């Protein structure tokens, strides 16, 4: 079949919820992807911050294949070996006490929201608790996750959403304080906002929110689905602030391609009890074998050092682009999650990059988002900048 035939077939049969770029991805190798016509692309999207170790990592692929040959799925009615090990390792590296594995980021958010509601319910027996979320946030597309996503366009057609959610200004502590009531059960935020435009939180803000939560017995939920797992140069972005959440959500690079997410809680916040929550697939042996091999790779390679070495170089190059082009206003980010702020529609620039063999994505209408594999070298930054420069011209 030709590329056009695959695209037409997809458009005739898939629900049209995405305006896709007109290429069919066939395979990947290292930090490069190939389409069905054999064209090569440098990948600065990584499946949206998923493929932390690039494509075709032998250790990763071998581990997945070995687990497939043993068992893929068991159900949560039984224990399984990879989940036991993955849960222990995740609590160790996060300092959290309990893990619930999910199939996606959205489901991790659902679990976090239920945890907060249950926690508050256990305290006062009432059911009208409130959550404070941030403007420009993104937490997912299910009704619960959408309810805490600060984007009117995503929310409007699906109202009424879950009640009691109020939106504060990100990095504006006063705006959070104004929304706190004796009904507030959680404050949810991304330490680096991803989808909403790549906004890193300030230390003052994160510390201030932590204090509000401590003073009022409110659960602090950090959504590190995109900014976690080494992307910022530390294993978790919140480590930069020296602030621990009560609930932490992970997904994207947690499985590096196998769909798996998780929410983790402290013992105090572990409010969900038998019967309160469940999932058929969540935490199955295949998914948690992926988590284990991903954690192996973080332990055995110098990938975090690589992020810390390559990202200042990337930022320097983005500074140069800002100097060079009037249509580039600047950049924002932390480590290998960077957004280039443009004065022209970002979609057009992305189309040109793709034509020239570079995959990048957007974050809002004016931000070009770069979330490459964490294994990229400076030579890949140079290659990316060369293509981007052509596209901007
Ligand atoms: C992608 C993302 C989600 C949703 O995860 P899915 O796996 O797409 O359901 C939630 N929060 C953040 C910060 C994300 O980047």
């Amino acid at each position: 079949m030709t590329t056009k035939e695959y695209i037409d077939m997809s458009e005739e049969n898939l629900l049209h919820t995405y305006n896709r770029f007109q290429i069919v991805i066939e395979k990947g190798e290292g930090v490069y992807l190939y389409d069905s016509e054999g064209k090569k692309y440098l990948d600065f999207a990584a499946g949206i911050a998923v493929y932390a170790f690039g494509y075709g990592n032998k250790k990763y692929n071998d581990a997945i294949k070995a687990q497939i040959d043993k068992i893929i799925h068991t159900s949560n009615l039984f224990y399984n070996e990879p989940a036991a090990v993955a849960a222990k390792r995740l609590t160790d590296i996060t300092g959290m006490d309990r893990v619930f594995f999910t199939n996606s980021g959205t489901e991790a958010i659902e679990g976090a929201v239920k945890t907060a509601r249950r926690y508050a319910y256990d305290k006062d027996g009432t059911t009208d608790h409130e959550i404070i979320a941030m403007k420009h946030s993104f937490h997912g597309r299910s009704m619960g996750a959408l309810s805490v996503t600060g984007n009117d366009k995503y929310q409007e057609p699906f109202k009424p959403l879950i009640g009691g959610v109020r939106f504060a200004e990100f990095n504006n502590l006063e705006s959070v304080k104004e929304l706190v009531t004796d009904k507030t059960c959680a404050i949810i935020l991304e330490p680096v906002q991803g989808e909403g435009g790549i906004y890193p939180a300030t230390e003052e803000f994160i510390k201030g929110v932590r204090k509000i939560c401590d003073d009022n017995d409110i659960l602090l939920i950090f959504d590190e689905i995109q900014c976690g797992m080494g992307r910022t140069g530390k294993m978790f972005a919140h480590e930069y602030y020296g602030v621990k959440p009560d609930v932490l959500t992970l997904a994207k690079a947690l499985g590096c391609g196998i769909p798996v997410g998780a929410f983790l809680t402290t013992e105090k916040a572990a409010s969900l009890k038998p019967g309160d929550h469940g999932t058929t697939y969540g935490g199955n042996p295949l998914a948690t074998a992926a988590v284990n091999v991903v954690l192996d790779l973080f332990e055995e390679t110098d990938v975090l050092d690589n992020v810390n070495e390559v990202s200042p170089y990337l930022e320097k190059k983005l500074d140069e682009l800002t100097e060079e082009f009037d249509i580039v206003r600047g950049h924002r980010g932390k480590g290998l999650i960077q957004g280039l702020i443009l004065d022209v529609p970002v979609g057009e620039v992305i189309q040109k990059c793709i034509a020239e063999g570079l995959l990048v994505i957007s974050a809002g209408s004016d931000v070009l988002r770069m979330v490459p594999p964490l294994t990229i070298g400076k030579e890949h930054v140079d290659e990316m900048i060369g293509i981007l420069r052509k596209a901007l011209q």
Side-chain angles (χ1 to χ4, degrees):
M1 272 172 59
T2 65
T3 293
K4 182 167 184 321
E5 284 167 337
Y6 279 117
I7 291 175
D8 290 346
M9 194 189 236
S10 303
E11 288 304 336
E12 276 162 29
N13 297 289
L14 286 172
L15 194 64
H16 193 130
T17 55
Y18 284 92
N19 291 317
R20 292 179 162 86
F21 296 107
Q22 298 295 296
I23 56 176
V24 179
I25 302 291
E26 189 178 276
K27 60 177 186 182
E29 214 180 284
V31 299
Y32 294 94
L33 284 173
Y34 296 83
D35 71 15
S36 53
E37 292 171 358
K39 182 172 167 183
K40 185 178 178 183
Y41 301 87
L42 175 62
D43 186 13
F44 266 58
I48 317 190
V50 166
Y51 265 91
F53 293 91
Y55 305 96
N57 182 288
K58 185 164 178 341
K59 180 167 176 130
Y60 177 88
N61 288 2
D62 286 348
I64 300 295
K65 286 176 202 166
Q67 187 59 50
I68 287 172
D69 286 338
K70 273 195 200 162
I71 191 162
I72 296 172
H73 179 75
T74 57
S75 99
N76 281 308
L77 301 177
F78 312 103
Y79 297 96
N80 75 71
E81 293 168 12
V85 175
K88 161 84 175 123
R89 294 176 77 181
L90 276 182
T91 55
D92 282 351
I93 61 168
T94 57
M96 306 296 283
D97 298 312
R98 305 235 162 226
V99 187
F100 185 101
F101 288 110
T102 66
N103 309 292
S104 67
T106 298
E107 287 166 84
I109 298 294
E110 292 296 321
V113 167
K114 281 179 73 175
T115 294
R117 286 240 179 126
R118 177 51 139 159
Y119 179 83
Y121 175 82
D122 286 347
K123 266 196 313 190
D124 66 12
T126 68
T127 56
D128 52 353
H129 297 106
E130 297 166 0
I131 296 174
I132 300 174
M134 301 298 142
K135 293 179 184 167
H136 303 293
S137 63
F138 182 82
H139 300 293
R141 304 292 200 147
S142 62
M143 295 302 283
L146 182 60
S147 300
V148 291
T149 288
N151 182 322
D152 288 339
K153 197 182 86 190
Y154 290 168
Q155 285 194 341
E156 176 66 21
F158 305 105
K159 286 180 177 171
L161 299 169
I162 70 166
V165 179
R166 293 146 175 259
F167 289 94
E169 298 282 343
F170 192 64
N171 280 340
N172 180 337
L173 200 55
E174 282 310 311
S175 81
V176 177
K177 279 185 190 155
E178 279 166 18
L179 298 181
V180 174
T181 72
D182 58 1
K183 289 292 177 188
T184 309
C185 68
I187 301 179
I188 181 168
L189 62 90
E190 301 152 84
V192 180
Q193 288 191 328
E195 198 75 29
I198 322 289
Y199 293 95
T202 63
E203 185 165 339
E204 182 198 3
F205 183 65
I206 291 274
K207 289 202 157 125
V209 172
R210 177 71 267 178
K211 185 165 187 317
I212 293 172
C213 290
D214 289 340
D215 291 348
N216 298 280
D217 197 14
I218 293 167
L219 296 188
L220 178 55
I221 304 170
F222 282 163
D223 179 352
E224 292 228 23
I225 289 168
Q226 188 159 171
C227 64
M229 302 305 290
R231 179 134 309 268
T232 61
K234 288 196 188 285
M235 197 62 193
F236 302 103
H238 68 263
E239 292 171 31
Y240 278 103
Y241 307 98
V243 164
K244 251 188 73 179
D246 303 294
V247 183
L248 175 66
T249 60
L250 302 174
K252 292 201 163 89
L254 180 63
C256 282
I258 295 289
V260 55
F263 65 93
L264 297 95
T265 73
T266 59
E267 196 62 48
K268 182 181 153 214
S271 61
L272 298 176
K273 296 170 184 64
D276 278 349
H277 202 54
T279 165
T280 299
Y281 273 138
N284 82 15
L286 182 64
T288 46
V291 173
N292 282 321
V293 70
V294 167
L295 295 178
D296 287 342
L297 289 169
F298 273 103
E299 279 171 18
E300 292 165 14
T301 69
D302 58 356
V303 71
L304 288 184
D305 292 340
N306 188 64
V307 173
N308 289 315
E309 193 179 324
V310 172
S311 57
Y313 185 72
L314 170 61
E315 291 201 46
K316 186 177 128 233
K317 292 286 159 184
L318 296 179
D319 282 340
E320 287 171 20
L321 285 185
T322 308
E323 283 283 301
E324 193 177 330
F325 292 95
D326 288 343
I327 55 172
V328 178
R329 268 190 283 140
H331 65 87
R332 285 191 294 260
K334 224 175 178 73
L336 288 179
I337 175 167
Q338 291 288 336
L340 193 68
I341 310 148
L342 301 176
D343 261 342
V344 291
V346 64
E348 286 171 32
V349 179
I350 292 175
Q351 294 283 5
K352 291 201 166 105
C353 289
I354 291 177
E356 297 284 343
L358 169 67
L359 297 187
V360 281
I361 51 181
S362 61
S365 60
D366 65 344
V367 177
L368 187 140
R369 174 169 33 159
M370 296 167 201
V371 282
L374 306 183
T375 51
I376 58 161
K378 290 180 184 168
E379 68 278 16
H380 301 119
V381 172
D382 288 338
E383 189 183 343
M384 181 279 290
I385 293 286
I387 297 175
L388 189 52
R389 183 171 276 129
K390 265 195 221 167
L392 289 169
Q393 276 161 359

